[in-house]
Amino acid sequence: MKIGIIGLGRMGGNIARRLMRGGHEVVVWDRNAEAVSALGGEGAITATSLDDVRDKLDKPAIFWVMLPAGAPTEETIQALCGDTCAEGDIIIDGGNTFWKDDVRRAKALAEKGVHYVDVGTSGGVWGLERGYCMMIGGDKETVDLLDPIFDTLAPGVGSVSRTPNRSEDCDPRAEKGYIHAGRAGAGHFVKMVHNGIEYGLMQAYAEGFDVLWGRNVKHLPEDERFEFNLAEISEVWRRGSVISSWLLDLTASALAQDQTLSNFSGNVADSGEGRWTIDAAMEQATPVAVLTTALFARYRSRIDDMYGDKLLSAMRFGFGGHVEIPQ
């Protein structure tokens, strides 16, 4: 298929590359001319503006917007639905957009005959090689039309063992790493909760390693202290433990480089989805004590950081290249 990728940052550029590796034609545009030129050197069709992207696409045109949530994405989609898009065209938002904005946009674009699809995309800077886990919202006909794109971007079945007792009637796309979650907004809602859970998992690791670190450095009686090697502990937990995970892999990698995590301040950022998850839970009167505490712990880290906060920053940098909030 032929698709336009708008936004060539940490994820957008690699999404374009993975699609090209899968045999798709990709038209790329970004305000950063160097990023466009780099993708052009790798085989992408370069564009100089949104209108130029449209001129170089087939009909219906498919636009994948991969920009930061909020104003950059909103302004770009507004520009596309102005004079750029034609009836039947498709706009995909693959960023971390607030799901209620998806609902609003889908209704507005439908009045112009333009289809809107929201794709909650997980995979970070590793997606080019590992593939992207995708949670997709939109009408079935449009999502089915785009399936070759999602199939290329997804991790695929790979070496992951099949889930016992999973019915043969289940949607096979889930085993490949992507699902059609429902109508517009559903994809980003599922991704929002995914990120809320991510906050909780990361906080659990951070607090656990904080306890271990405390036995090394706190003023305790000598016979109650241990000289724990946190790199070795994280390594052994990766192998056969019930708490093994990709987040633990990233933790082990960071600790293997420097157990003190001296390159991190512990001033932990949050990108919005954690807050939105708590808001949604409050609307539904659903108790989410762990997720709420994990979010508040990030706020606290900006006032009084701890060793575990440095570990949170190390994990965030590991999977997404996220940097800390400047002190």
Side-chain angles (χ1 to χ4, degrees):
M1 297 184 77
K2 198 170 188 179
I3 183 172
I5 305 293
I6 300 163
L8 306 175
R10 288 193 302 264
M11 290 184 68
N14 281 345
I15 283 173
R17 291 182 178 95
R18 189 169 174 92
L19 287 172
M20 288 190 291
R21 288 184 183 182
H24 299 275
E25 290 185 274
V26 180
V27 182
V28 296
W29 183 76
D30 191 288
R31 291 181 179 178
N32 183 342
E34 292 183 3
V36 175
S37 178
L39 266 296
E42 298 177 38
I45 302 167
T46 61
T48 57
S49 67
L50 293 178
D51 287 340
D52 193 28
V53 173
R54 175 68 180 83
D55 292 342
K56 292 176 177 177
L57 291 174
D58 298 331
K59 296 182 179 180
I62 304 170
F63 302 90
W64 183 302
V65 179
M66 201 65 192
L67 294 167
T73 295
E74 186 69 31
E75 292 169 4
T76 300
I77 291 177
Q78 288 294 332
L80 285 172
C81 70
D83 298 325
T84 301
C85 280
E87 186 174 352
D89 287 349
I90 301 167
I91 296 176
I92 304 167
D93 177 5
N96 283 325
T97 288
F98 183 44
W99 66 276
K100 290 185 179 180
D101 289 334
D102 294 317
V103 175
R104 168 179 54 80
R105 290 175 190 159
K107 290 179 180 178
L109 290 171
E111 294 176 358
K112 300 184 178 184
V114 176
H115 304 283
Y116 181 84
V117 174
D118 56 289
V119 181
T121 311
S122 182
V125 296
W126 300 85
L128 176 59
E129 302 301 333
R130 292 171 58 109
Y132 299 92
C133 173
M134 292 168 290
M135 297 134 270
I136 305 159
D139 67 89
K140 183 180 185 303
E141 183 178 356
T142 303
V143 172
D144 288 349
L145 175 68
L146 297 170
D147 191 75
I149 290 171
F150 300 136
D151 190 62
T152 298
L153 290 174
V157 175
S159 60
V160 178
S161 59
R162 298 198 70 185
T163 300
N165 304 317
R166 182 174 167 81
S167 170
E168 294 297 330
D169 297 329
C170 292
D171 189 339
R173 292 175 294 186
E175 291 187 311
K176 295 182 180 181
Y178 66 107
I179 59 168
H180 181 199
R183 60 184 177 83
H188 277 145
F189 190 95
V190 175
K191 176 58 162 52
M192 173 190 75
V193 176
H194 163 285
N195 282 28
I197 293 171
E198 176 187 293
Y199 279 37
L201 292 172
M202 292 172 68
Q203 186 64 27
Y205 283 124
E207 292 181 9
F209 278 94
D210 221 346
V211 173
L212 292 168
W213 179 258
R215 279 287 144 174
N216 287 357
V217 300
K218 288 185 177 178
H219 299 292
L220 297 170
E222 185 175 352
D223 62 354
E224 295 182 9
R225 292 200 304 268
F226 299 102
E227 296 299 324
F228 285 130
N229 185 318
L230 302 194
E232 294 301 292
I233 291 172
S234 62
E235 186 64 30
V236 75
W237 284 351
R238 293 181 61 217
R239 304 174 187 281
S241 165
V242 296
I243 63 168
S244 60
S245 70
W246 185 27
L247 288 172
L248 184 59
D249 295 345
L250 296 171
T251 296
S253 178
L255 292 173
Q257 295 179 62
D258 174 17
Q259 286 195 65
T260 68
L261 302 173
S262 58
N263 289 333
F264 298 95
S265 69
N267 198 332
V268 188
D270 68 285
S271 53
E273 296 89 339
R275 305 182 194 192
W276 300 337
T277 303
I278 307 310
D279 288 343
M282 291 177 67
E283 290 177 353
Q284 303 164 197
T286 301
V288 286
V290 171
L291 308 190
T292 303
T293 300
L295 175 63
F296 286 176
R298 295 195 178 194
Y299 296 163
R300 191 263 313 138
S301 76
R302 300 165 203 173
I303 302 170
D304 179 24
D305 61 85
M306 301 167 64
Y307 179 81
D309 300 326
K310 294 183 178 183
L311 197 66
L312 285 176
S313 287
M315 282 186 273
R316 294 184 81 249
F317 183 78
F319 66 72
H322 301 294
V323 297
E324 297 176 306
I325 294 176
Q327 288 185 306

